[in-house]
Amino acid sequence: MPLWMALSVVIGIFIGTFFANRFSGNRLSIINSGSNKLNDLLHIVDDQYVDTVNVNDLVEKAMPTILKELDPHSVYISQKDVQQANDDLKGSFFGVGIEFTIRKDTIHVQNVITNGPSERAGLLAGDKIVEIDGEEFVGKKVTTEEAMHRLKGDKDTKVQIGVLRGKEKKIRQYTVIRGEIPMKSVIATYMLNDDTGYIKIKNFGDKTYPELLIGLARLAQEGFDNLVIDLRGNTGGYLGSAVQMANEFLSRGQLIVYTEGRRSQRQEYRADGRGSYQQIPLVVLIDEGSASASEIFAGAIQDNDRGTIIGRRSFGKGLVQQPISLHDGSMIRLTIARYYSPSGRCIQKPYTMGDDRSYEEDLINRYQHGEFFSGDSIKHEGPEYHTLNGRVVYGGGGITPDIFVGEDTTNVTSYYKEASMSGLILQFAYEYTDEHRPQLSQYKTERELLAYLKKLNTVELFAKYAEKNGLKRRNLMIQKSHQLLERFINSRLIYNVLDEQAWTEYINADDPTIRETLRTFKEGAAFPKPQPEKEGKN
């Protein structure tokens, strides 16, 4: 018996080894051989290269390149950037509580967060930060990343900040005690008219859902009967936040989204029926800047015929990344699955492995093809899908709106294009705000400030400024684009002096997408109807 048992074990090992080699050995040997070649290369370079080489730096530069060969969204995040990458979607972080911009190699404080650490310490909007912790901080070393690295820190730790204020030449010193800084996802909540509430969401982070509920409660107090969720420019964030939001508007059991990958089994997310707004007429606004979690939410609303999607085709980011921490504190975000809307369409637009350039130029190609201006120019790749009520929707990348609203190019001129795309308008708005902050700060509402700006003739002020900075004055073009220029310039001044809520209210006031939205509610078309059956259909 012991002899037979030993023989059985040997035969079992032999069979197991044979099948392991037969079915997985090749893959394993390829992986081992690949990693060995990389190690060999690094050892050879370290040992024999003509100059001294920092091998760790080589590895840091190689990691992103390797992941880029997989897909456009698998990325490597270095140890120093992990905190920032995580903070972007968290509901808060610890810091000094300022918004800043970097101009002429110097930090300029754009806004000081109300009741934040910097306001308590005495910093003001317009201050220029020139020292941090006793060390001069100006010149080429001043980058956004380095500034955030020095200003952020653990709760209740101190940072010494030296600032120049106005035209003063003496540096003022302030000790700021770092504290919790909230990061809002919902940046605007207000009534578009007597019965239509509006909520704009910047991204999908940790606190997006509770912020949404607060916004809905505020609108309920004002008696809203219709709702607009604005996801234009929202690049996404956490899947869970998008699912929580969709759950608020969908009926029990309705599919919100599902994910599936080679090593990831299909996972479905369904509404639990507890949402408080399952019947309110709903419009969701999207554009080419709406991606990922924004597309999950819009796709769930569209495929379940729960509301109307208005705007332009969304970005088309439907790959699921899993964060994986590495031993040195760095991290990779590796694509492990794809998102699918309830009708079964993949949200991800097509890409070729290793070809980042064509993927990154997709929006430019859409613009040149005319997709931003005409819904008929949208190219749908892949099969047709059907919503709950049988309406046709398309896969092949992004969410195509039910109602298309193109960009208005009627009064666009080459002068306007150069003024906006060169950054001159942003530059002018910041410098004008900085120089006239005492006067501008007297106005506490968007209406008050706008009335004052109208008197200034900000377009003429900008034209003079732009001419001094290399943009030749074109009077006929300025006249033709006057309304566009005024809108852009005044929006930036309102943003600099007030906040994102005021800025949103101003740009929405004459927005064609908002006008189309209000028309949709007025005509009772916010709940899409079933598609009529075609003749001969069984």
Side-chain angles (χ1 to χ4, degrees):
M1 183 62 71
L3 181 63
W4 278 110
M5 287 181 65
L7 188 59
S8 298
V9 170
V10 171
I11 292 171
I13 292 172
F14 174 78
I15 293 172
T17 304
F18 171 78
F19 280 103
N21 289 335
R22 176 70 179 82
F23 294 111
S24 64
N26 288 341
R27 259 183 78 241
L28 192 60
S29 64
I30 288 169
I31 292 171
N32 285 337
S33 130
S35 63
N36 286 339
K37 283 179 75 172
L38 285 173
N39 285 331
D40 290 345
L41 174 62
L42 293 172
H43 283 303
I44 291 168
V45 168
D46 189 37
D47 186 52
Q48 299 183 33
Y49 187 67
V50 61
D51 296 319
T52 303
V53 175
N54 187 322
V55 175
N56 287 333
D57 283 349
L58 282 180
V59 172
E60 287 290 306
K61 291 173 182 174
M63 293 282 281
T65 305
I66 292 171
L67 291 171
K68 266 187 180 181
E69 290 298 312
L70 301 176
D71 66 79
H73 300 293
S74 288
V75 295
Y76 169 72
I77 303 170
S78 65
Q79 181 184 9
K80 68 182 182 66
D81 294 328
V82 166
Q83 185 66 44
Q84 177 61 39
N86 291 332
D87 283 348
D88 286 342
L89 294 176
K90 287 182 178 177
S92 63
F93 64 92
F94 297 114
V96 298
I98 61 169
E99 292 179 12
F100 65 86
T101 183
I102 295 174
R103 291 185 44 73
K104 298 178 181 177
D105 296 331
T106 304
I107 297 175
H108 292 246
V109 178
Q110 189 161 309
N111 286 305
V112 179
I113 293 174
T114 304
N115 297 322
S118 289
E119 185 184 67
R120 290 193 290 271
L123 269 72
L124 300 175
D127 285 347
K128 294 181 280 292
I129 296 178
V130 293
E131 290 181 358
I132 298 178
D133 284 333
E135 180 185 341
E136 183 182 74
F137 193 61
V138 293
K140 291 184 178 179
K141 63 184 173 183
V142 180
T143 63
T144 300
E145 293 75 18
E146 185 61 24
M148 294 179 79
H149 173 70
R150 296 190 185 210
L151 294 173
K152 285 183 176 182
D154 295 332
K155 185 180 180 182
D156 295 332
T157 57
K158 295 180 180 180
V159 57
Q160 191 75 18
I161 296 177
V163 306
L164 288 173
R165 178 166 297 165
K167 295 182 179 179
E168 297 175 357
K169 295 189 177 179
K170 184 179 179 181
I171 298 175
R172 295 174 176 237
Q173 296 291 337
Y174 295 92
T175 300
V176 182
I177 301 173
R178 295 182 179 98
E180 186 174 19
I181 310 301
M183 295 180 70
K184 292 179 68 176
S185 292
V186 175
I187 63 171
T189 302
Y190 69 104
M191 296 291 288
L192 289 173
N193 58 23
D194 290 341
D195 55 10
T196 305
Y198 170 94
I199 295 177
K200 184 169 181 64
I201 301 173
K202 181 168 63 174
N203 60 20
F204 287 84
D206 269 347
K207 296 184 179 178
T208 302
Y209 179 59
E211 286 178 22
L212 171 76
L213 295 181
I214 292 169
L216 289 169
R218 186 184 306 169
L219 294 175
Q221 290 179 338
E222 299 188 48
F224 79 121
D225 296 317
N226 308 313
L227 178 64
V228 183
I229 300 287
D230 192 345
L231 301 180
R232 290 176 293 178
N234 183 323
T235 56
Y238 292 144
L239 165 66
S241 295
V243 169
Q244 284 179 313
M245 268 184 55
N247 186 68
E248 199 63 27
F249 302 100
L250 296 177
S251 302
R252 180 178 177 82
Q254 286 187 311
L255 184 60
I256 296 171
V257 67
Y258 68 91
T259 64
E260 197 168 19
R262 182 175 68 90
R263 288 295 183 92
S264 300
Q265 291 185 349
R266 174 168 170 147
Q267 184 171 0
E268 295 184 349
Y269 300 84
R270 292 184 178 272
D272 61 15
R274 297 180 183 177
S276 301
Y277 299 91
Q278 296 178 40
Q279 297 300 320
I280 191 166
L282 176 66
V283 164
V284 180
L285 307 183
I286 61 171
D287 65 8
E288 58 282 348
S290 308
S292 188
S294 294
E295 296 172 295
I296 290 169
F297 181 82
I301 297 301
Q302 187 178 55
D303 284 6
N304 286 295
D305 289 304
R306 173 60 187 84
T308 299
I309 312 301
I310 298 179
R312 295 191 291 275
R313 181 161 68 105
S314 63
F315 182 84
K317 196 263 183 191
L319 299 177
V320 185
Q321 280 75 51
Q322 177 175 306
I324 301 171
S325 298
L326 303 179
H327 66 88
D328 65 345
S330 60
M331 180 173 73
I332 63 173
R333 285 181 177 161
L334 185 68
T335 298
I336 61 166
R338 289 183 173 86
Y339 292 119
Y340 296 88
S341 74
S343 65
R345 51 186 167 147
C346 181
I347 295 169
Q348 178 63 38
K349 62 186 175 184
Y351 64 89
T352 303
M353 288 179 67
D355 182 11
D356 268 9
R357 184 172 178 178
S358 61
Y359 187 82
E360 291 167 357
E361 291 177 352
D362 174 61
L363 294 185
I364 296 173
N365 293 334
R366 288 196 209 178
Y367 181 89
Q368 292 173 342
H369 184 66
E371 184 179 317
F372 288 10
F373 317 107
S374 169
D376 293 335
S377 298
I378 298 175
K379 290 183 177 179
H380 292 118
E381 300 183 25
E384 293 181 354
Y385 296 83
H386 294 87
T387 67
L388 193 65
N389 286 341
R391 295 185 304 123
V392 173
V393 288
Y394 296 94
I399 303 297
T400 299
D402 301 309
I403 299 174
F404 177 85
V405 180
E407 284 191 0
D408 184 3
T409 60
T410 308
N411 295 316
V412 172
T413 61
S414 58
Y415 181 89
Y416 174 77
K417 283 183 180 179
E418 191 169 349
S420 54
M421 295 178 71
S422 66
L424 271 174
I425 291 179
L426 296 177
Q427 189 175 312
F428 164 76
Y430 178 78
E431 290 189 15
Y432 189 87
T433 304
D434 204 27
E435 291 169 12
H436 300 85
R437 201 172 289 276
Q439 299 114 290
L440 296 172
S441 297
Q442 296 175 43
Y443 304 99
K444 303 302 180 185
T445 68
E446 178 257 333
R447 284 188 179 182
E448 292 174 354
L449 180 55
L450 182 59
Y452 175 72
L453 295 177
K454 290 278 189 183
K455 296 176 185 176
L456 292 178
N457 191 356
T458 50
V459 174
E460 178 58 26
L461 293 174
F462 168 75
K464 291 177 180 177
Y465 173 89
E467 193 168 26
K468 289 179 183 177
N469 286 272
L471 180 57
K472 188 176 179 180
R473 188 182 184 106
R474 304 278 189 180
N475 287 329
L476 290 177
M477 290 187 182
I478 291 171
Q479 185 178 352
K480 183 177 181 181
S481 297
H482 191 278
Q483 187 177 356
L484 291 173
L485 287 164
E486 183 180 60
R487 185 174 186 264
F488 194 171
I489 294 163
N490 288 352
S491 73
R492 296 314 304 177
L493 290 168
I494 288 169
Y495 178 86
N496 291 344
V497 178
L498 298 174
D499 54 22
E500 288 177 303
Q501 168 95 17
W503 169 75
T504 303
E505 290 188 36
Y506 172 71
I507 61 174
N508 280 348
D510 63 348
D511 182 1
T513 306
I514 296 295
R515 286 199 298 271
E516 181 62 33
T517 297
L518 294 175
R519 185 196 65 78
T520 301
F521 284 127
K522 187 176 181 181
E523 295 179 0
F527 282 110
K529 304 297 187 295
Q531 186 168 301
E533 291 192 1
K534 298 177 182 177
E535 287 186 20
K537 185 177 177 181
N538 295 320

